[in-house]
Amino acid sequence: MQLTKNFNLSEFECNCGCKMPDDVLENIKELSINLQYIRDYLGTSIRLTNAYRCVEHNKAIGGAKNSQHILGKAADLKVKDLQPKTLANLIEDLIKKDCIKQGGVGRYNTFTHYDIRGTKARWSKVK
């Protein structure tokens, strides 16, 4: 199912292969709209390394119990030739300008986390 011009539902599905609940799908649709804005702004593709996770898969990989991934409100992002910290800074700027929804921005060594929880949350796991 095509969600936006550049994002397909298959990119957001749980890596364990389970079926996504309908309420999660609604969140994924909203997330995809925000990610499409980021992609259009960058003018290049965004690879989702992780999006929706069922509770079982989230637990198996050591995800936070209250992870926004479980709700379908989060994605971990990589952009070719763009450092994760640069992408995180760009997302911060787009949130400040009210171009995309307020939420979580997590800084990691190899990817950037963005979620649409609706409240500000920031963290860094950069080593």
Side-chain angles (χ1 to χ4, degrees):
M1 170 195 301
Q2 199 67 34
L3 299 172
T4 68
K5 180 173 71 172
N6 298 106
F7 289 104
N8 191 286
L9 179 60
S10 63
E11 297 174 79
F12 295 85
E13 292 174 342
C14 185
N15 290 333
C16 82
C18 67
K19 182 175 176 356
M20 183 184 295
D22 290 341
D23 59 326
V24 170
L25 177 57
E26 291 309 308
N27 292 334
I28 289 292
K29 288 177 182 178
E30 182 181 2
L31 176 62
S32 71
I33 291 166
N34 286 272
L35 293 176
Q36 183 67 50
Y37 189 93
I38 296 168
R39 188 200 185 286
D40 290 345
Y41 185 86
L42 289 170
T44 191
S45 62
I46 296 173
R47 185 165 70 94
L48 308 184
T49 61
N50 213 308
Y52 168 63
R53 292 185 211 141
C54 67
V55 172
E56 293 80 14
H57 183 66
N58 188 64
K59 185 176 181 179
I61 64 164
K65 277 188 176 181
N66 60 347
S67 174
Q68 295 295 304
H69 288 279
I70 294 169
L71 304 173
K73 292 186 173 189
D76 297 332
L77 318 171
K78 286 187 174 188
V79 176
K80 187 178 179 181
D81 299 326
L82 193 64
Q83 292 296 314
K85 70 176 185 177
T86 304
L87 179 57
N89 290 341
L90 175 117
I91 291 170
E92 289 270 14
D93 289 344
L94 293 176
I95 290 170
K96 287 177 188 171
K97 294 176 182 175
D98 287 328
C99 299
I100 59 174
K101 189 168 182 173
Q102 178 65 264
V105 178
R107 297 164 187 269
Y108 295 83
N109 290 325
T110 59
F111 66 92
T112 303
H113 169 101
Y114 169 63
D115 69 57
I116 57 166
R117 70 182 68 194
T119 57
K120 184 176 182 177
R122 303 293 182 267
W123 65 93
S124 177
K125 300 281 183 159
V126 175
K127 295 179 181 176

